[in-house]
Amino acid sequence: MATEYKLKGLTSIDLKNGQKQEAEIEGIENGKVLLAKVKDELHAMSANCTHYGAPLKLGVITGEGRITSCFNVATGDVEDAPALDPLAKFEIIQKDGAVYIKGDESFMKAGRRPLNIKCSAQGEEKVVIIGRCV
Ligand code: FES
């Protein structure tokens, strides 16, 4: 269920295109969110890479809205390896001199959203997937 959470110490968001800032989420232990502005639009997403947890506040945002380690700022989707899980995205609400994000508490705590992939066998054929981890 989507719930609103206040961002600690923020009264407004003053970012220019390509800028980002990390903020603490009140009421979520160790909860953090990354705010970013791309193409005049504000976005709130998980604060750390879903691969090994690198802080995305240290990442680079391209003009097209891609943040290293290669996530789409607008959707949170993975755009390149090695991360597998997408970032969680949250709605931003600015009201009464404060900034809130709205979203699923479990996604805020996990710092990611689960992949929504379903796969089921259609016949008797077998498939082998070969790869290596780097
Ligand atoms: S921590 Fe982001 S790609 Fe490894």
Side-chain angles (χ1 to χ4, degrees), residues 10 12 20 27 34 43 50 54 56 60 67-68 81 98 115 118-120 125:
L10 278 186
S12 64
K20 56 198 171 320
L34 186 77
H43 299 277
T50 60
L56 293 174
V60 175
I67 186 166
T68 53
L115 281 173
K118 292 190 173 112
C119 183
S120 59
E125 296 178 23

Side-chain angles (χ1 to χ4, degrees), residues 52-116:
Y52 276 132
L56 293 174
K57 68 180 179 185
L58 302 177
V60 175
I61 297 180
T62 69
E64 296 307 308
R66 186 182 223 212
I67 186 166
T68 53
S69 341
C70 300
F71 297 95
N72 184 306
V73 171
T75 63
D77 291 343
V78 175
E79 291 198 337
D80 209 346
L84 297 176
D85 292 334
L87 301 173
K89 284 289 312 264
F90 308 106
E91 180 184 348
I92 297 172
I93 302 154
Q94 298 186 73
K95 65 181 182 184
D96 307 327
V99 179
Y100 299 80
I101 57 169
K102 186 175 181 180
D104 191 307
E105 181 180 338
S106 66
F107 294 177
M108 291 179 200
K109 288 179 176 173
R112 64 187 65 211
R113 74 181 140 89
L115 281 173
N116 189 12

